[in-house]
């Protein structure tokens, strides 16, 4: 007798086998990169958990960053972000071409299109519950709407966190109420009761992670920058937001990143032999960023020293009481997670972050990718322009989809950046 | 001392020869398949106009534009953004915003009082809103580029054109023709649609007066007038052909470089 395959798991088996093969090859390498090896092992462990949950009817959630994943982690509930694996495995699939035939309008973010496509095509297993957040992203609600209208997902119970508009005390208190409602939803859905002591342990582990990440960021202020473009942002974001929150393996990985950068800093060495310019990438980083970072370094001796995804001024959460933990989580997830931090409320946070990063990290120029999904930020470009002019740093405004390299092809990107650098005597023209 | 600036664009090659801070000769020719050949032909023609024997009589040559790299006799290359800003500022030091609409790309450049670039924006998606678009639309209306501009100027009630992709705009134009719309109003509608597209780029940089329109499309007075209406400010007319602004900037750089070289 053959059993019916579980929807979405076929792809996850592929991911699992690919991670295993990559890890095995890396282990055989004479000089394995320990940080990458640790990262891939965490990804594999996460995918194995997903497969285990789907195969054995264990509860797991579909979630998105900024939803206080520390709470699910403390409850021992596994969670996935639908697009993570699609992004990580994009070079092995034709998913990018697949999104063109999807129902999501063309002018929306590639990530949203991928998310809708993944559920529509059955590339992710159906979760037990869904936690949504009404984020500032222009299309997030469309994504959730498409999921709950999908045949396989239409009966999945969901809870949507409502973020407050600003970042004052009363806004955080309002969001604490939202988190309490989410806990009640999860307890009701899974029958698992939140253990507040376990939440304390999880938060304390994440406190350690963010402290190390902060130290890593401080070192990047050094000239020359001791780390490569987008380096910590990509890894740090993945292991803090998209795998089980408070995983000690993630803390070890943060330590590795820090140690690597610190060794170069102490030896007074930069990531590049000769650093010509330092860039701030004023947005999240997507799938376009790795080749961009490599090209900037190789062609122009330029390092992207900071970006909004890596710039994580996460505050230490006071774990003394239940209320202080929830208040800390409210603040972290509402006012510190990138994008939700810069795009919610008024423009001040966005501009203040740019000013602070330019000054602290001795930035020579600002790249604003004009991501198609971040129309809120594109509407603020006038303020950004004024700020950059006052700071005396050139600003390059692009029009990209940071999750779809076809939107602004690399040859167009390099042409514009070459013109920009030549005009402002930056990069190899310095 | 003669120097030259060459602007090798996708549609045309432009040369400006200067002598002692004066424009001595200018030429605009259609681009060939080879930038080297376009440059050679253009410079030969410009030089012969003032009795020079081409390259050997020129002290310094600065190249700019898409095709600039790899031309053997160019002394130095400078970015087209910098050259357009320099040329526009020399033509009128009060200019703060340069809108350059060329054959295949358009750019908006914010310039300070010294003629230096503060910021710029470029089109990065397709040729809509450039000379190529106008050429395609003129073909659809079965007229020349000059006739197209003249038609648009006579429009009293421009049609609403929603498509800016040349492929889709063409089918929309054909529909309008079949619906019996006046050619003048279709041309006027096309001009307005392109101005709307330009505005999004202009506002990324800011439209600080004085504003000048350069590039081949600046010769299209319907475009100039539509832009003036949309921006609510006058667009400055320059004493030289606006198409040669980039080459002029390159020639001005060539002049400065030659002076340093000869010191």
């Amino acid at each position: 007798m053959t059993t019916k395959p579980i929807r979405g798991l076929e792809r996850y088996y592929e991911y699992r086998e690919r991670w295993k093969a990559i890890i095995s090859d890396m282990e055989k390498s004479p000089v394995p990169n320990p940080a990458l090896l640790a990262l891939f092992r965490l990804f594999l462990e996460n995918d194995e958990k997903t497969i285990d949950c789907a195969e054995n009817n264990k509860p797991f959630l579909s979630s998105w960053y900024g939803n206080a994943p520390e709470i699910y982690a403390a409850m021992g509930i596994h969670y996935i972000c639908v697009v993570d694996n699609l992004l990580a495995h994009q070079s092995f699939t034709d998913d990018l071409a697949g999104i063109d035939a999807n129902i999501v309008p063309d002018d929306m973010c590639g990530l949203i299109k991928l998310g809708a496509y993944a559920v529509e095509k059955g590339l992710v297993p159906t979760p037990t519950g869904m936690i949504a957040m009404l984020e500032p992203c222009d299309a997030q609600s469309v994504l959730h709407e498409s999921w709950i209208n999908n045949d396989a997902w239409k009966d999945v119970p969901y809870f949507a966190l409502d973020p407050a508009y600003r970042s004052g005390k009363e806004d955080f208190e309002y969001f604490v109420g939202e988190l309490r409602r989410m806990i009640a939803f999860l307890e009701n859905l899974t029958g698992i009761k939140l253990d507040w002591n376990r939440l304390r342990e999880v938060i304390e582990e994440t406190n350690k992670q963010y402290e190390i990440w902060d130290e890593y960021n401080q070192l990047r202020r050094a000239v020359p920058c001791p780390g490569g473009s987008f380096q910590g942002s990509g890894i740090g974001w993945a292991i803090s937001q998209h795998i089980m929150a408070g995983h000690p393996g993630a803390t070890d990985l943060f330590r590795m990143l820090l140690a690597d950068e610190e060794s170069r800093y102490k030896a007074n060495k930069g990531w590049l032999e000769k650093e010509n310019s330092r860039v701030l990438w004023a947005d999240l980083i997507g799938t376009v960023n790795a080749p961009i970072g490599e090209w900037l370094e190789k062609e122009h001796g330029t390092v992207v020293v900071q970006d909004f995804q890596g710039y994580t001024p996460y505050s230490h959460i006071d774990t003394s009481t239940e209320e202080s933990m929830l208040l800390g989580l409210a603040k972290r997830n509402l006012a510190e997670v990138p994008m939700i931090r810069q795009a919610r409320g008024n423009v001040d946070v966005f501009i203040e972050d740019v000013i602070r990063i330019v000054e602290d990290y001795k930035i020579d120029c600002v790249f604003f990718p004009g991501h198609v999904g971040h129309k809120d930020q594109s509407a603020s470009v006038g303020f950004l322009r004024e700020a950059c002019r006052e700071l005396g740093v050139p600003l390059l405004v692009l029009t990209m989809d940071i999750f779809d390299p076809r939107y602004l092809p690399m040859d167009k990107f390099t042409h514009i950046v070459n013109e920009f650098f030549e005009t402002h005597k930056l990069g190899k023209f310095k | 001392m003669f120097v030259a600036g060459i602007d090798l664009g996708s549609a045309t090659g432009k040369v400006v020869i200067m002598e002692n801070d004066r424009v001595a000769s200018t030429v605009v020719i259609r681009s060939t398949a080879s930038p080297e050949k376009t440059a050679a032909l253009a410079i030969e023609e410009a030089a012969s106009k003032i009795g020079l024997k081409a390259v050997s009589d020129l002290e310094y040559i600065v190249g700019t534009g898409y095709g600039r790299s790899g031309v053997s006799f160019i002394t130095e290359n400078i970015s087209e953004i910098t050259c357009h800003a320099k040329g526009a500022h020399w033509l009128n030091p009060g200019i703060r915003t340069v809108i350059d609409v060329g054959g295949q790309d358009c750019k908006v450049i914010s310039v300070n009082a010294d003629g230096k670039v503060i910021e710029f924006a470029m089109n990065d998606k397709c040729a809509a809103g450039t000379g190529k678009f106008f050429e395609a639309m003129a073909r659809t209306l079965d007229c020349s580029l000059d006739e197209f501009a003249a038609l648009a100027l006579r429009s009293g009630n421009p049609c609403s054109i929603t498509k800016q992709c040349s492929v889709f705009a063409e089918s929309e134009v054909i529909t309008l023709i079949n619906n019996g719309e006046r050619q003048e109003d279709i041309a006027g509608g096309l001009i307005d649609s392109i101005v709307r597209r330009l505005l999004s780029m202009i506002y990324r940089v800011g439209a600080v007066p004085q504003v000048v329109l350069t590039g081949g499309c600046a010769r299209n007075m319907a475009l100039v007038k539509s832009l003036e209406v949309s921006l609510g400010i006058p667009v400055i007319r320059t004493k030289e052909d606006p198409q040669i602004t980039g080459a002029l900037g390159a020639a001005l750089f060539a002049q400065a470089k030659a002076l340093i070289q000869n010191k």
Side-chain angles (χ1 to χ4, degrees):
Chain A
M1 191 182 85
T2 53
T3 51
K4 198 180 162 199
I6 299 169
R7 188 179 199 263
L9 273 193
E10 201 177 320
R11 210 19 126 71
Y12 271 68
Y13 295 142
E14 273 177 46
Y15 298 147
R16 180 177 64 185
E17 294 318 306
R18 191 171 295 126
W19 289 132
K20 279 183 181 171
I22 292 171
I23 290 166
S24 162
D25 283 352
M26 285 180 80
E27 283 169 341
K28 284 180 208 147
S29 155
V31 205
N33 180 326
L36 271 185
L37 200 50
L39 179 70
F40 294 155
R41 282 181 181 144
L42 285 172
F43 287 162
L44 172 62
E45 183 188 329
N46 212 49
D47 286 346
E48 281 178 334
K49 275 186 195 163
T50 309
I51 292 168
D52 177 45
C53 288
E55 281 180 343
N56 299 301
N57 285 324
K58 293 178 185 172
F60 75 103
L61 304 170
S62 151
S63 181
W64 206 256
Y65 59 84
N67 289 355
E70 292 86 348
I71 290 172
Y72 337 135
M75 295 174 82
I77 307 171
H78 180 62
Y79 57 94
I80 57 166
C81 174
V82 162
V83 291
D84 276 355
N85 270 314
L86 269 75
L87 296 179
H89 297 263
Q90 204 165 68
S91 54
F92 302 99
T93 70
D94 56 2
D95 292 338
L96 205 53
I99 64 175
D100 294 340
N102 210 254
I103 48 165
V104 178
D106 276 352
D107 68 333
M108 283 189 181
C109 165
L111 197 67
I112 300 297
K113 292 181 195 166
L114 276 169
Y117 163 82
V119 171
E120 188 69 31
K121 289 280 170 191
L123 304 179
V124 277
T126 307
T128 319
M130 184 167 95
I131 304 296
M133 194 200 210
L134 306 175
E135 288 162 343
C137 166
D138 71 325
Q140 189 76 246
S141 317
V142 170
L143 180 65
H144 294 130
E145 198 68 29
S146 80
W147 289 350
I148 60 175
N149 281 298
N150 177 273
D151 282 346
W153 282 46
K154 68 178 188 311
D155 296 324
V156 175
Y158 62 89
F159 178 84
L161 286 154
D162 176 32
Y165 186 66
R166 292 176 190 275
S167 301
K169 190 167 175 281
E170 62 178 9
D171 300 287
F172 298 141
E173 283 169 353
Y174 172 78
F175 201 61
V176 165
E178 289 295 289
L179 293 179
R180 284 195 184 280
R181 286 176 54 221
M182 181 179 85
I183 293 167
F185 167 81
L186 290 173
E187 287 181 338
N188 188 41
L189 178 75
T190 62
I192 301 168
K193 193 137 180 66
L194 173 64
D195 174 349
W196 291 90
N197 283 325
R198 177 67 193 131
L199 180 62
R200 180 170 293 112
E201 287 169 12
V202 169
I203 293 176
E204 279 169 1
E205 194 67 28
T206 59
N207 275 345
K208 268 188 242 167
Q209 293 172 1
Y210 291 132
E211 202 175 306
I212 302 169
W213 195 351
D214 186 46
E215 217 174 314
Y216 170 89
N217 273 336
Q218 298 305 321
L219 288 177
R220 295 179 73 83
R221 294 181 180 204
V223 180
C225 181
S229 300
F230 307 117
Q231 205 179 41
S233 324
I235 297 177
W237 175 260
I239 61 177
S240 63
Q241 293 288 333
H242 292 266
I243 62 158
M244 190 61 82
H247 192 304
T251 319
D252 290 341
L253 184 41
F254 273 118
R255 285 197 188 99
M256 284 183 208
L257 282 173
L258 176 63
D260 175 60
E261 205 173 52
E262 203 168 31
S263 66
R264 232 172 274 116
Y265 173 75
K266 282 181 177 163
N268 201 23
K269 280 170 76 177
W271 174 258
L272 299 177
E273 225 164 85
K274 187 172 176 286
E275 181 182 280
N276 294 327
S277 306
R278 299 161 68 84
V279 171
L280 159 64
W281 179 269
D283 208 329
L284 297 178
I285 61 172
T287 39
V288 300
N289 291 77
I292 284 175
E294 278 169 31
W295 178 78
L296 284 170
E297 288 176 359
K298 205 171 159 196
E299 182 71 18
H300 285 288
T302 291
V303 179
V304 181
V305 177
Q306 196 52 278
D307 54 73
F308 281 176
Q309 194 160 304
Y311 184 66
T312 47
Y314 293 111
S315 313
H316 188 90
I317 294 181
D318 171 7
T319 55
S320 56
T321 67
E322 289 180 10
E323 194 59 28
S324 71
M325 285 194 278
L326 287 183
L327 198 62
L329 286 175
K331 188 177 176 206
R332 180 182 282 176
N333 289 280
L334 203 56
E336 295 174 352
V337 172
M339 190 176 91
I340 301 170
R341 169 183 171 77
Q342 287 103 0
R344 195 179 40 80
N346 56 29
V347 73
D348 296 12
V349 178
F350 172 67
I351 298 301
E352 279 164 17
D353 278 358
V354 169
I355 293 170
R356 194 173 301 170
I357 295 170
V358 166
E359 288 176 346
D360 291 351
Y361 291 82
K362 298 165 195 77
I363 296 294
D364 296 307
C365 60
V366 176
F367 283 13
F368 178 71
H371 174 51
V372 65
H374 292 167
K375 296 180 180 68
D376 46 284
Q377 292 184 4
S378 292
S380 307
V381 80
F383 295 104
L384 177 62
R385 189 173 62 229
E386 274 176 32
C388 287
R389 284 184 185 177
E390 275 174 29
L391 287 162
V393 290
L395 166 70
L396 177 64
V397 178
L398 299 154
T399 51
M400 308 183 88
D401 182 337
I402 56 174
F403 295 100
D404 187 345
R406 300 168 306 171
Y407 194 86
L408 178 63
M410 193 65 180
D411 63 330
K412 273 278 179 191
F413 174 86
T414 55
H415 171 71
I416 294 170
V417 173
N418 281 334
E419 289 290 322
F420 177 76
F421 277 175
E422 194 179 343
T423 301
H424 293 291
K425 305 279 177 284
L426 292 164
K428 70 180 178 188
F429 302 103
K430 197 168 179 179
Chain B
M1 177 185 74
F2 290 97
V3 295
I6 309 180
D7 179 2
L8 296 164
S10 61
T12 54
K14 286 80 66 175
V15 165
V16 170
I17 295 179
M18 292 192 83
E19 185 194 23
N20 304 327
D21 215 31
R22 174 188 73 85
V23 174
S25 175
T26 71
V27 75
V28 178
I29 64 164
R30 293 293 299 178
S31 289
T32 68
S34 147
E36 174 95 19
K37 192 177 166 192
T38 309
L41 289 170
I43 214 153
E44 197 180 306
E45 193 179 325
S48 70
K49 275 186 178 179
I50 49 172
L52 298 178
K53 291 178 203 156
V55 180
S56 54
D57 291 333
L58 298 165
E59 196 106 355
Y60 209 100
I61 304 173
V62 167
T64 191
Y66 261 112
R68 68 182 181 264
S69 57
V71 175
S72 59
F73 54 85
I74 284 177
T75 326
E76 189 179 339
N77 284 315
I78 293 180
S79 100
E80 55 207 79
I81 306 291
T82 311
C83 288
H84 271 273
K86 182 86 171 172
H89 180 260
W90 188 81
L91 289 168
N92 180 343
I95 281 166
R96 294 292 174 271
T97 309
V98 182
I99 303 164
D100 176 62
V101 185
Q104 199 163 278
D105 70 8
C106 42
K107 39 200 169 287
V108 182
I109 310 163
S110 176
V111 184
N112 71 10
D114 302 321
K116 285 198 174 153
V117 177
I118 304 172
E119 209 176 303
F120 71 88
M122 287 175 94
N123 69 321
D124 53 23
K125 295 288 172 283
C126 65
T130 67
K132 291 277 178 214
F133 178 85
F134 287 124
E135 280 178 9
M137 292 306 106
R139 260 198 313 275
T140 310
L141 289 174
D142 195 23
C143 62
S144 69
L145 274 175
D146 288 342
E147 285 163 348
F148 176 80
L151 279 171
L153 280 172
R154 289 203 300 273
S155 170
N157 183 24
C159 295
S160 170
I161 310 270
T162 55
K163 307 287 193 300
Q164 285 160 352
C165 167
S166 52
V167 177
F168 294 114
E170 186 170 359
S171 58
E172 195 170 347
V173 167
I174 290 168
T175 306
L176 290 168
I177 293 169
N178 291 339
N179 288 348
E181 295 290 345
R182 293 172 66 230
Q183 251 194 330
E184 288 86 341
D185 293 335
I186 299 172
L190 283 164
I191 295 281
D192 289 350
S193 80
I194 288 312
V195 166
R196 283 199 301 277
R197 190 181 171 92
L198 283 174
L199 284 179
S200 70
M201 203 158 54
I202 294 169
Y203 290 138
R204 258 157 63 188
V205 171
V208 179
Q210 301 178 46
V211 175
V212 70
L213 182 64
T214 65
C217 295
R219 291 164 54 203
N220 182 331
M221 287 317 291
L223 181 69
V224 176
K225 290 198 168 165
S226 176
L227 200 56
E228 283 180 324
V229 170
S230 297
L231 290 174
I233 48 175
V235 171
I236 300 302
R237 274 69 165 172
T238 57
K239 61 185 175 191
E240 298 287 349
D241 174 1
Q243 199 168 3
I244 57 127
T245 311
L248 174 63
L252 288 163
F253 279 116
Q255 193 173 255
K257 300 268 181 181
L259 285 172
I260 294 168
Q261 191 176 259
N262 293 339
K263 257 187 188 172

